[in-house]
Amino acid sequence: MWYVSTRGMAPRVDFEGALFSGYAPDGGLFMPEELPQLDRETLRQWSALSYPGLVAELCALFIGPELIPREDLNGLIQRAFRRFRHREVVHLSRLRDGLNVLELWHGATYAFKDLSLSCTAQFLQYFLQKRGKHVTVVVGTSGDTGSAAIESVRGAKNVGIIVLLPQGHCTKIQERQMTTVLEENVRVFGGECWGGRQGMEGNSDELDEPIKAVFADVAFVKKHNLMSLNSINWSRVLVQMAHHFFAYFQCVPSLDLHPLPTVEVVVPTGAAGNLAAGCIAQKMGLPVHLVAAVNCNDIIHRTVQRGDFSLSDTVKPTLASAMDIQVPYNMERIFWLLSGSDSQMTRGLMEQFERTQNVRLPEELQSKPSPVLPGPCLCSQVSRSCRGCWTEPGNSRGHPSPGGKGDVLHPDAEE
């Protein structure tokens, strides 16, 4: 499997190259050169698999046995999920009237990013041990990516991690998850001056600016063996595809129906990594409709609804800090998919956005059937938006999931 940049100006790489690169040298994001198409029989076989089994099948498709033999890959996936609290790793809770919630919070930090980062860290260490190398991971975070990334590599001898966070803009729990890890390979810095801004009053978008500038200096990155674990990294998107397959198989009673029924998947989103994963699954043949749910920082909603990919005047802080994002960098992957892998069009859109922060999608993109539907703009106080949900009496765990009466459902989102 080969990977190409969404901007079309960088050499193609294999999975190992995409894993260690983060951004492509031309500023784009890596995507598979070709997407495998899954027939009904493959979907039927996959429908019987556990969540870890699905992750292994997807990773086998996109990594290849020449890089990680299947037996080694199975072992890496098994080790990645051994700290998860639920025996299924991921669990579907059934609510009322056909509504279901996919529980992605059973990892070490209670963030859905534990799933993809635990696997990505295993892949990293596999290649590093094989090559006898060391890398330093640089992560900007509004909370959940930082703590999940730290947990995935803490204590690793061949991986160091530097986490940058906008001070005062993470939850107290997440801040403590990051700042209380006493490991030699972990460094956490609270941001008071990022991107030339003194006394930063901003957000994770402002952290992304200097990080992207660092990774644009290819010689510096190579000299210091730097890489990123934000959702620019293809490996995270790859693992997140399993969320959509697992949810579909849990919701559909039979794969013998003709045509296969469609499942609507509502994705609370910030930087659109999980959304991009769903779009790729869709392109591979999974019958899902994706609905993007955002808070008042609604650039994705405006882009999907009317082609308005532009920054608002300010980022408004909400209780869902991981969704307080105005630069959803994985939309670049979605534009590339929607344009039919047109790297020239994608490069033009993204370079214009980087110059002006204001892009109107061309008519030829807006006129195509969108893989994503505009969803609800959740109110800024997220805890008020999802009260009163109950699990069905037959819920296998016998108690309300978050979102049940007396609980608060905070949507997961990605950086």
Side-chain angles (χ1 to χ4, degrees):
M1 174 71 74
W2 292 99
Y3 294 86
V4 296
S5 170
T6 49
R7 302 193 186 185
M9 302 293 286
R12 68 179 190 170
V13 297
D14 60 12
F15 174 80
E16 184 178 358
L19 173 67
F20 283 95
S21 295
Y23 285 106
D26 61 358
L29 301 177
F30 282 113
M31 284 287 283
E33 192 171 42
E34 294 182 5
L35 291 176
Q37 297 302 299
L38 304 178
D39 57 24
R40 183 184 289 262
E41 184 54 34
T42 301
L43 291 175
R44 184 180 287 108
Q45 291 171 9
W46 283 16
S47 68
L49 296 175
S50 64
Y51 177 84
L54 275 172
V55 172
E57 290 296 332
L58 281 162
C59 288
L61 275 181
F62 286 93
I63 296 174
E66 68 282 359
L67 287 179
I68 305 181
R70 186 57 189 263
E71 186 175 346
D72 291 351
L73 179 63
N74 290 343
L76 295 176
I77 300 299
Q78 185 178 5
R79 283 196 292 277
F81 295 137
R82 64 187 174 189
R83 293 178 63 195
F84 281 71
R85 292 177 298 277
H86 198 286
R87 65 183 181 276
E88 297 174 59
V89 179
V90 166
H91 176 74
L92 188 86
S93 281
R94 302 187 186 278
L95 308 182
R96 289 176 175 169
D97 303 322
L99 178 65
N100 305 283
V101 173
L102 192 63
E103 298 179 0
L104 304 175
W105 56 74
H106 296 294
T109 72
Y110 296 84
F112 90 101
K113 294 166 190 177
D114 288 322
L115 291 156
S116 59
L117 281 165
S118 60
C119 294
T120 299
Q122 290 295 321
F123 302 152
L124 281 180
Q125 293 181 70
Y126 179 86
F127 288 120
L128 290 170
Q129 290 168 7
K130 201 172 181 179
R131 315 290 184 218
K133 292 183 177 180
H134 181 280
V135 296
T136 299
V137 173
V138 181
V139 173
T141 187
S142 57
D144 46 2
T145 290
S147 50
I150 287 170
E151 284 297 325
S152 72
V153 300
R154 62 182 298 170
K157 292 182 170 54
N158 46 15
V159 182
I161 185 167
I162 297 171
V163 175
L164 310 177
L165 60 96
Q167 212 158 24
H169 293 272
C170 299
T171 68
K172 288 296 182 185
I173 290 174
Q174 289 169 334
E175 195 170 301
R176 288 167 185 166
Q177 284 177 334
M178 289 182 274
T179 57
T180 58
V181 177
L182 304 179
E183 298 283 0
E184 287 296 321
N185 68 326
V186 176
R187 296 288 182 272
V188 180
F189 298 93
E192 295 180 354
C193 176
W194 305 121
R197 305 186 187 202
Q198 298 292 331
M200 190 187 78
E201 298 177 355
N203 47 72
S204 63
D205 286 338
E206 291 174 346
L207 286 177
D208 290 335
E209 295 171 17
I211 291 174
K212 186 164 187 177
V214 166
F215 282 100
D217 187 338
V218 177
F220 183 83
V221 168
K222 286 184 177 178
K223 179 181 177 181
H224 296 283
N225 292 327
L226 302 181
M227 64 167 294
S228 173
L229 281 182
N230 285 83
S231 63
I232 59 170
N233 194 297
W234 163 251
S235 178
R236 282 187 53 183
V237 177
L238 167 58
V239 176
Q240 287 175 159
M241 288 163 58
H243 307 349
H244 299 272
F245 282 95
F246 184 76
Y248 182 83
F249 296 141
Q250 292 289 304
C251 289
V252 172
S254 171
L255 269 73
D256 293 323
L257 300 172
H258 295 273
L260 287 173
T262 299
V263 171
E264 186 174 273
V265 181
V266 180
V267 184
T269 190
N274 207 0
L275 206 58
C279 289
I280 297 166
Q282 201 179 58
K283 285 280 188 181
M284 292 170 64
L286 189 70
V288 291
H289 282 161
L290 301 169
V291 179
V294 300
N295 60 20
C296 52
N297 301 294
D298 65 346
I299 183 171
I300 294 176
H301 179 87
R302 288 183 283 109
T303 302
V304 172
Q305 189 172 53
R306 56 182 185 269
D308 174 20
F309 188 57
S310 61
L311 296 189
S312 300
D313 293 335
T314 60
V315 174
K316 298 174 183 176
T318 73
L319 292 179
S321 58
M323 297 172 73
D324 297 344
I325 288 175
Q326 284 216 80
V327 185
Y329 33 77
N330 279 290
M331 287 301 290
E332 179 165 348
R333 286 185 161 115
I334 295 173
F335 294 155
W336 186 82
L337 288 169
L338 190 58
S339 69
S341 310
D342 188 334
S343 56
Q344 185 175 354
M345 176 183 286
T346 305
R347 183 171 68 253
L349 288 172
M350 297 312 300
E351 288 179 350
Q352 181 185 341
F353 180 76
E354 289 164 358
R355 285 194 311 271
T356 67
Q357 286 79 54
N358 192 324
V359 169
R360 172 70 59 177
L361 296 189
E363 184 60 35
E364 57 193 291
L365 281 191
Q366 291 193 58
S367 62
K368 291 184 177 182
S370 175
V372 182
L373 303 173
C377 289
L378 305 176
C379 64
S380 60
Q381 300 302 311
V382 179
S383 60
R384 298 175 188 167
S385 66
C386 299
R387 287 182 178 169
C389 292
W390 286 81
T391 52
E392 293 287 2
N395 183 294
S396 63
R397 295 201 296 158
H399 59 80
S401 63
K405 188 175 180 181
D407 286 309
V408 174
L409 179 61
H410 287 262
D412 285 322
E414 72 280 340
E415 298 167 71

